[in-house]
Amino acid sequence: MTLQRRLEGTIRDVPDFPTPGILFKDITPVLADPVLLADVIDAMAAPYAGRGITHVVGVESRGFLFGVPVALALGVPFAPARKPSKLPWRTQREAYALEYRKDVLEMHVDALGTPGQVAARVLVIDDVLATGGTAMATCRLVERLGGEVAAVAVVVELGFLNGRAALAGREVHAVVGF
């Protein structure tokens, strides 16, 4: 059975979460299956092996679950993009809109290195690409910190929400699409 079919049979739909009218794609059953989880991590990392990625940025919070093992697989540092006031040191921030609320992401000012170093080549990781607001905010934040976004990789893409349009001109890789 293909990885896409295995994911389609494992990811569950949760209606009206976190707000009425949203059909949430719950990836926690994937986390409960170590073989499937390993295959997802491999599918996210493999396209970027040997492509000069220097950092992986994972988006809070489920992007951390996939970003850390992808960073390990690629042998590069991991940097978190977090919600406000979660990071203990100086940060840069980026506000953005989602399909059901507004939010802010922050990263440490030195998450991708220090000024004067060669620009980081970053792979942005998250669990779901919906409208693209979170991914685009993360890309803008990475660029503000002096990095170059090589690509955005997600486990699930909700194609009917057209998140790729928000990321026009950027490479996007999804393990499974709905």
Side-chain angles (χ1 to χ4, degrees):
M1 184 182 307
T2 67
L3 179 56
Q4 175 151 341
R5 294 244 170 135
R6 290 167 54 210
L7 283 168
E8 289 169 349
T10 304
I11 295 169
R12 77 178 140 219
D13 290 344
V14 180
D16 299 319
F17 182 83
T19 60
I22 300 295
L23 180 62
F24 188 81
K25 294 293 187 183
D26 182 12
I27 55 90
T28 57
V30 175
L31 304 175
D33 182 334
V35 173
L36 180 56
L37 179 58
D39 290 345
V40 168
I41 298 303
D42 289 346
M44 293 181 85
Y48 303 101
R51 292 209 22 215
I53 301 299
T54 64
H55 292 74
V56 168
V57 170
V59 183
E60 185 160 331
S61 65
R62 291 175 304 273
F64 299 171
L65 300 172
F66 297 96
V68 169
V70 168
L72 289 171
L74 295 175
V76 300
F78 173 82
R82 299 220 54 194
K83 295 193 176 175
S85 303
K86 300 284 185 180
L87 292 171
W89 199 59
R90 292 188 329 221
T91 60
Q92 284 280 346
R93 67 177 18 212
E94 182 71 32
Y96 63 102
L98 293 168
E99 60 272 25
Y100 52 87
R101 73 174 190 275
K102 292 185 178 182
D103 218 333
V104 173
L105 287 173
E106 295 181 339
M107 289 178 65
H108 279 146
V109 295
D110 62 352
L112 304 176
T114 57
Q117 287 183 316
V118 174
R121 188 163 157 75
V122 177
L123 175 60
V124 174
I125 299 281
D126 206 356
D127 65 329
V128 174
L129 175 61
T131 63
T134 304
M136 192 60 212
T138 306
C139 291
R140 286 193 305 261
L141 192 51
V142 163
E143 290 162 352
R144 184 175 308 133
L145 291 172
E148 169 198 349
V149 177
V152 175
V154 297
V155 179
V156 175
E157 180 179 6
L158 303 177
F160 59 91
L161 292 175
N162 202 23
R164 283 183 189 249
L167 297 167
R170 297 184 187 277
E171 180 179 334
V172 178
H173 170 69
V175 179
V176 66
F178 290 96

